Amino acid sequence: GESVGLHLPTLSVQEGDNSIINCAYSNSASDYFIWYKQESGKGPQFIIDIRSNMDKRQGQRVTVLLNKTVKHLSLQIAATQPGDSAVYFCAEFSDFPAGGTSYGKLTFGQGTILTVHP
Amino acid sequence: NAGVTQTPKFRILKIGQSMTLQCTQDMNHNYMYWYRQDPGMGLKLIYYSVGAGITDKGEVPNGYNVSRSTTEDFPLRLELAAPSQTSVYFCASSTGQGYGANVLTFGAGSRLTVL
């Protein structure tokens, strides 16, 4: 059978708590980062992005922090709700010249499973 | 506005069979991508396209082929299915230009099992 989630980090929180999901990226040349949310049985959905010339960006109930010194990205979710339960992926963007075209390559992290308990 | 549509949602193949996963988008996006997602893992890029008639390999292209005859469609073909190709396949698209150029819109996924 499937072993979905066997290798993914997990985070369990109570409804109303704040959640912090961490991500370490690998390429110091990456200049753009995106957080995606993937609910069970669905494709990833865009949450928030940040460029490398920024340290912090806020959206609705979400904040992304970028620490380029240690190549670390975090997603903070305020007042977490049961509907926030999902797998969260960070993705880093870097140039990937290939085949004569310059492709901006998105590399996805492994993901973190967030479970919100009512 | 349907976004990115993938078919089929589920498929079981025998070893050595071939099939095509269909992907179409109605957002007039230039860039399209195929990813695979193995259990407990992130997404790996199989192939991508920057426009009609232009395709190129991603990280894990072996065993797959693609074509891009129109802006809307980007089918992924498996010629000789192997158990290692059991995975969930996601098609995605992006504008490729301007702010948000690299924000991908994903389809719902196609779950493929090779026995």
Side-chain angles (χ1 to χ4, degrees):
Chain A
E2 265 195 301
S3 59
V4 175
L6 184 63
H7 306 292
L8 295 179
T10 60
L11 175 65
S12 292
V13 300
Q14 291 295 127
E15 182 178 1
D17 287 351
N18 295 332
S19 302
I20 299 176
I21 300 171
N22 297 304
C23 175
Y25 64 93
S26 57
N27 188 349
S28 57
S30 294
D31 57 5
Y32 178 62
F33 305 87
I34 305 174
W35 278 100
Y36 283 91
K37 172 186 180 183
Q38 185 177 22
E39 296 175 280
S40 181
K42 298 183 179 180
Q45 292 180 290
F46 170 85
I47 303 174
I48 191 167
D49 58 358
I50 187 168
R51 297 192 180 278
S52 60
N53 61 354
M54 302 171 69
D55 298 322
K56 178 180 179 179
R57 188 155 190 239
Q58 288 184 293
Q60 188 176 16
R61 282 202 306 118
V62 294
T63 300
V64 55
L65 299 178
L66 175 62
N67 185 331
K68 295 180 287 294
T69 302
V70 296
K71 293 190 287 187
H72 183 267
L73 201 64
S74 69
L75 177 71
Q76 300 177 0
I77 305 174
T80 316
Q81 303 167 0
D84 294 326
S85 294
V87 179
Y88 288 82
F89 292 98
C90 67
E92 58 182 299
F93 173 83
S94 57
D95 279 335
F96 183 63
T101 60
S102 179
Y103 156 63
K105 177 185 176 184
L106 265 181
T107 301
F108 285 84
Q110 192 177 31
T112 296
I113 301 173
L114 174 65
T115 303
V116 182
H117 301 284
Chain B
N1 189 341
V4 178
T5 303
Q6 293 181 233
T7 57
K9 293 190 184 301
F10 303 94
R11 183 73 186 268
I12 298 175
L13 283 180
K14 294 182 179 178
I15 295 173
Q17 286 186 317
S18 59
M19 75 159 297
T20 299
L21 299 177
Q22 302 291 344
C23 176
T24 187
Q25 52 92 10
D26 61 359
M27 299 172 285
N28 200 33
H29 284 174
N30 288 322
Y31 284 46
M32 295 188 74
Y33 315 80
W34 274 105
Y35 286 87
R36 61 176 285 172
Q37 185 177 34
D38 298 328
M41 304 296 288
L43 291 90
K44 297 288 187 183
L45 181 66
I46 306 172
Y47 269 95
Y48 69 97
S49 169
V50 300
I54 306 171
T55 64
D56 213 335
K57 296 177 181 179
E59 303 168 84
V60 290
N62 292 343
Y64 307 95
N65 278 300
V66 293
S67 59
R68 184 95 182 270
S69 57
T70 67
T71 299
E72 294 79 18
D73 301 305
F74 190 42
L76 176 72
R77 183 151 181 90
L78 287 70
E79 290 294 350
L80 291 170
S84 61
Q85 294 177 304
T86 295
S87 190
V88 180
Y89 292 83
F90 288 99
C91 180
S93 69
S94 66
T95 63
Q97 295 177 339
Y99 182 76
N102 303 301
V103 175
L104 274 61
T105 300
F106 284 86
S110 298
R111 184 178 296 274
L112 176 67
T113 302
V114 182
L115 301 174

